[in-house]
Amino acid sequence: MIANEFIKSGQNVRKYYQRRLPSNSSKDYYYMLRETPNNESIIVEYGFLDSTVDDVSQIKNNWEELAEAVVRALADYVGVTYIPPEGSTSNYYIVKSGDTLYSIARNYGVTVNALKSANNLESNNLTIGMRLVIPTDVVTPDDSNIYIVQPGDSLYKIANLYGMTVNELKTLNNLTSNNISIGQQLKVLETDITPANTYVVKAGDSLYSIAKRYGINVNTLKSANNKTSNLLSIGEILTIPNTNDIYRTHIVVPGDTLWSLARNYGTTVDQIKSLNGLNNNVLSLGMILNIPN
């Protein structure tokens, strides 16, 4: 839950796990947790000062949002209502049955794009109980976008494309039936339409942060986009490879070695190390490894 809140806050998530004590697997590996009995305990590493990526800048610039991400997750976990800190510039909305991004955006006077950006959403899908950040100082433009009806279109298809319901699309266009004609102009909400397997680079993005968001290795992301450097440009469209076609996951258990895993999965030690960005052969219990298919 904390990891998900970090992601929604635009932060990197390296991994989350429970590491067991090798000499007694009923105990936690870390002394601080092991010696805190009768409590549920967790350690959150917000970043590393010697990081060569963006840990330092994120901690410096976004430490308040990082802290609040943990508070929001823990509030959800124990079942209490999260109350933003006094003076917070963010408002929150809990998704209810029947909500769409379009209806929420309209209610708060923001664009769907602004709502998606504030919550790091890659699709228009919502789940009941989801907490959305409502951006401030963003005004919905007076004019809607125009969509030209194409052969094979239906109101359902167009509404789904723009994250609307059919009724919302009909209301916006004063339609009394579901009939549309080729070439007809329909008002639609402002949004960016990109294929589901792509990502549009935004300010502050890095290959590392994008790869972590989608649970893939930087080298895998570079390879899928034929990139030879780590440079990105704002607005650049990256192809996100289907991880199911690239690798499966394995949680390290006692006795595992890179050699035994390579043998069991029919791959090589070097391939496992490359896919996981490993510089040595050391494994830790509970570690999540990507295994090439």
Side-chain angles (χ1 to χ4, degrees):
M1 296 174 77
I2 291 177
N4 288 336
E5 286 297 330
F6 274 156
I7 292 172
K8 286 192 289 185
S9 299
Q11 308 301 329
N12 302 329
V13 174
R14 181 166 170 259
K15 61 180 177 178
Y16 54 94
Y17 58 94
Q18 181 176 17
R19 191 175 180 186
R20 303 285 188 170
L21 187 66
S23 61
N24 185 347
S25 61
S26 68
K27 297 183 177 181
D28 198 273
Y29 178 87
Y30 294 98
Y31 180 86
M32 182 162 58
L33 300 187
R34 192 167 67 242
E35 298 302 320
T36 309
N38 304 321
N39 289 284
E40 292 186 84
S41 307
I42 187 170
I43 296 175
V44 179
E45 292 180 333
Y46 291 90
F48 302 91
L49 291 179
D50 58 354
S51 169
T52 58
V53 284
D54 53 3
D55 294 38
V56 176
S57 62
Q58 287 191 340
I59 295 172
K60 179 179 179 181
N61 299 324
N62 301 325
W63 64 271
E64 289 180 291
E65 180 56 29
L66 280 166
E68 283 303 308
V70 175
V71 176
R72 289 195 300 271
L74 293 180
D76 274 347
Y77 181 71
V78 301
V80 300
T81 301
Y82 169 72
I83 301 175
E86 187 174 343
S88 172
T89 57
S90 296
N91 296 314
Y92 293 88
Y93 177 81
I94 305 300
V95 175
K96 301 177 179 63
S97 177
D99 281 339
T100 65
L101 282 175
Y102 173 81
S103 64
I104 298 170
R106 286 293 179 183
N107 287 340
Y108 284 92
V110 299
T111 65
V112 170
N113 281 344
L115 192 57
K116 291 174 70 174
S117 177
N119 292 276
N120 295 294
L121 298 177
E122 301 300 327
S123 74
N124 293 330
N125 298 327
L126 298 176
T127 57
I128 296 174
M130 178 188 294
R131 179 186 291 108
L132 294 178
V133 174
I134 306 299
T136 57
D137 301 324
V138 182
V139 179
T140 303
D142 294 332
D143 296 328
S144 300
N145 285 352
I146 299 298
Y147 177 83
I148 308 299
V149 176
Q150 305 296 316
D153 277 343
S154 66
L155 285 179
Y156 174 81
K157 179 180 178 181
I158 299 169
N160 188 60
L161 185 64
Y162 285 90
M164 306 169 67
T165 66
V166 170
N167 284 338
E168 289 167 345
L169 183 59
K170 291 173 67 175
T171 299
L172 185 62
N173 290 275
N174 298 313
L175 299 177
T176 57
S177 74
N178 293 335
N179 297 326
I180 53 177
S181 57
I182 297 174
Q184 181 177 350
Q185 295 186 359
L186 294 177
K187 293 181 180 180
V188 292
L189 65 100
E190 181 185 3
T191 189
D192 291 324
I193 304 175
T194 55
N197 65 333
T198 62
Y199 177 83
V200 180
V201 176
K202 302 177 180 63
D205 279 340
S206 67
L207 282 175
Y208 174 82
S209 65
I210 298 170
K212 287 300 180 182
R213 171 177 295 182
Y214 289 95
I216 58 178
N217 183 270
V218 169
N219 289 335
T220 301
L221 183 59
K222 291 175 66 175
S223 176
N225 291 274
N226 298 314
K227 295 185 72 68
T228 57
S229 75
N230 293 335
L231 298 178
L232 295 175
S233 56
I234 296 175
E236 180 178 352
I237 299 177
L238 295 178
T239 298
I240 306 299
N242 184 349
T243 56
N244 292 329
D245 297 333
I246 300 172
Y247 61 77
R248 68 196 83 177
T249 58
H250 176 89
I251 300 176
V252 175
V253 298
D256 278 345
T257 65
L258 284 176
W259 184 82
S260 67
L261 293 177
R263 180 190 60 189
N264 292 339
Y265 286 102
T267 184
T268 67
V269 170
D270 286 341
Q271 285 179 317
I272 296 177
K273 290 174 69 176
S274 175
L275 186 57
N276 290 276
L278 299 177
N279 297 319
N280 56 51
N281 294 335
V282 177
L283 300 178
S284 58
L285 295 180
M287 184 178 185
I288 300 176
L289 290 176
N290 298 322
I291 308 294
N293 280 331

